Amino acid sequence: MHRRHPEIDPQLLSETDEQRQLRTVLRDLYAEASGVEEVRKHLATPRGYDEALWARLAGEIGVHGLAIPEEYGGSGFTFAELAVVLEESGRALYCAPLLPTVVLAANALLLSGDRTACERYLPRIAEGTLTATVAGFGPDGPGRPGGSDQSRESAVTAEQGSDGWVLRGRADFVLDGAGADLLLVRAGTPAGPRIFACEPAPDTCRRTPRRVLDETRRQALVEFLGAPAAAVGAAEEAEGTVSATLDTGRAALAAEQVGGSGHALDATVAFVAQRHQFGRPIGSFQAVKHRLADVLVALEAARSGSAYATACAAIASPQLPVAACAAAVVCSEIFRLATAEYVQLHGGIGFTWEHPAHLYVRRARGAEVLFGTADQHRTRLAGLVGLASRPAA
């Protein structure tokens, strides 16, 4: 059973001066180069994001390598600094594949303990020249929230031939699956599941973009047709690596949701202060004040949950599964609430395609099921703290 009162240094829950400076720099950069109109424009491009801004973030600020050790070309900071980036990216609705590349794939490589794979791929991730994602890691896989009897066998299998491993099968709704340069795939083998690195080629890997609600976060069906792959990490560590990667992803997504919720609240407060009805700002009406106060209170609770999950991820605490599940629940709920009020309190204009509110609503709806639903997280959390049968994850 996990400790009911985990020991976390309170200083880890507060922002440092360096993190505040990073936040300021990022907010200014996103305001300059990644406003809503820029997001809309780049969604229509083949890659779906501003590749020049991606390069600037990697080269000028070092975003991609913040949490990558120096020995692999990174800056050697922690997940706490990366969480600042994710929060500001969520606030700006930045649509590049930071989550699959810098969080999921990079952490899967680091957690695998495979130095050869880390040396091959992490320096290119850190410098922004390689995009990557994970496949077959989803919450419906074996031993994870939502896993069913039908999902006990991996949808992707690996066979060992004369020239090495090849992958067969399919993984659906893979984040950035159609464009990523590297796929880290959880695949079944006769000896059990393992993680494999695959650099997809058109003749052995068919990638079909999926139409999804949140167009700022592209997903794809990936079909492996005998795709060459290399094993990453030890077989006995594969499931632990997958579980820890997903929990880190949940902590990252929570930070992003806090940023998006903050934007929705700030934009709504600014609007109700300047929109007049009956000769006064609508923000002066008590009913409006109460609704916004509810959002603020919920947002502060979500900030606490996100900060705790971030601190656990930063120090690789054994409490991370608990913190990640709790943050996933509270941050998903506030993002849903904040974006609903974003639309409602803007009145008629909030329902139009021209207004940015619907983009945040779509991001909120997509994010709340990305690594499992809130009910699945609550069920897992109950098991982790000893209130129900412990889940396998």
Side-chain angles (χ1 to χ4, degrees):
M1 182 187 301
H2 287 249
R3 292 171 61 89
R4 295 293 182 88
H5 303 288
E7 296 176 359
I8 290 289
D9 185 346
Q11 290 187 341
L12 294 175
L13 305 177
S14 302
E15 203 167 69
T16 66
D17 289 338
E18 290 82 2
Q19 290 166 2
R20 279 190 287 272
Q21 292 170 14
L22 175 62
R23 184 183 301 281
T24 299
V25 170
L26 287 166
R27 189 167 298 188
D28 290 344
L29 178 59
Y30 283 139
E32 168 202 334
S34 189
V36 172
E37 291 310 311
E38 285 78 10
V39 169
R40 292 181 192 271
K41 179 178 70 175
H42 290 292
L43 286 179
T45 64
R47 201 61 182 89
Y49 63 90
D50 185 348
E51 295 183 71
L53 180 56
W54 176 264
R56 286 184 66 187
L57 286 170
E60 295 179 15
I61 306 177
V63 162
H64 302 65
L66 276 174
I68 293 177
E70 293 180 84
E71 63 181 308
Y72 299 128
S75 301
F77 288 101
T78 71
F79 184 82
E81 285 71 33
L82 186 56
V84 173
V85 175
L86 292 160
E87 185 175 336
E88 290 305 310
S89 297
R91 184 181 183 89
L93 208 70
Y94 183 50
C95 53
L98 276 175
L99 181 63
T101 298
V102 180
V103 177
L104 298 177
N107 275 279
L109 288 167
L110 288 169
L111 290 164
S112 74
D114 190 320
R115 290 189 61 86
T116 300
C118 288
E119 289 171 353
R120 181 173 183 178
Y121 298 117
L122 287 178
R124 286 189 282 161
I125 289 177
E127 65 188 17
T129 58
L130 179 78
T131 57
T133 190
V134 299
F137 280 39
D140 289 330
R144 288 180 286 283
S148 62
D149 292 339
Q150 291 75 21
S151 67
R152 292 301 168 190
E153 294 298 327
S154 175
V156 182
T157 59
E159 306 168 359
Q160 195 162 24
S162 58
D163 295 328
W165 292 96
V166 294
L167 301 178
R168 301 189 186 278
R170 50 189 278 162
D172 209 349
F173 296 103
V174 177
L175 292 176
D176 197 36
D181 305 313
L182 171 68
L183 304 174
L184 294 174
V185 187
R186 178 192 176 279
T189 73
R194 291 195 71 173
I195 298 173
F196 294 87
C198 173
E199 298 182 49
D203 56 334
T204 58
C205 188
R206 183 164 56 231
R207 303 193 278 179
T208 307
R210 289 299 200 190
R211 185 178 181 184
V212 292
L213 180 65
D214 178 15
E215 295 177 339
T216 67
R217 180 166 278 143
R218 294 189 174 188
Q219 301 179 46
L221 167 66
V222 181
E223 298 172 278
F224 299 96
L225 312 172
V232 175
E236 60 271 17
E237 301 295 333
E239 290 296 78
T241 297
V242 168
S243 183
T245 298
L246 287 175
D247 281 329
T248 304
R250 292 179 183 112
L253 187 62
E256 189 183 276
Q257 290 170 314
V258 166
S261 301
H263 163 83
L265 178 59
D266 290 347
T268 306
V269 168
F271 178 79
V272 300
Q274 58 90 21
R275 175 65 188 272
H276 283 65
Q277 287 283 1
F278 307 108
R280 55 191 286 196
I282 62 173
S284 66
F285 294 112
Q286 191 174 42
V288 174
K289 291 180 179 179
H290 285 174
R291 290 170 67 169
L292 292 174
D294 288 343
V295 174
L296 178 60
V297 170
L299 178 55
E300 290 306 307
R303 286 190 193 280
S304 296
S306 175
Y308 177 49
T310 292
C312 289
I315 63 172
S317 168
Q319 292 294 325
L320 177 59
V322 171
C325 282
V329 172
V330 297
C331 294
S332 293
E333 290 179 346
I334 178 54
F335 204 10
R336 172 185 277 270
L337 173 63
T339 53
E341 297 291 18
Y342 193 8
V343 172
Q344 292 288 332
L345 292 178
H346 273 77
I349 192 175
F351 287 86
T352 64
W353 288 110
E354 291 76 14
H355 197 274
H358 78 93
L359 294 173
Y360 285 86
V361 170
R362 288 163 175 256
R363 172 65 70 87
R365 298 297 186 269
E368 68 180 321
V369 298
L370 191 57
F371 297 123
T373 66
D375 285 345
Q376 290 168 347
H377 294 314
R378 288 188 179 96
T379 300
R380 183 184 182 217
L381 186 59
L384 289 169
V385 300
L387 299 179
S389 298
R390 184 188 294 273

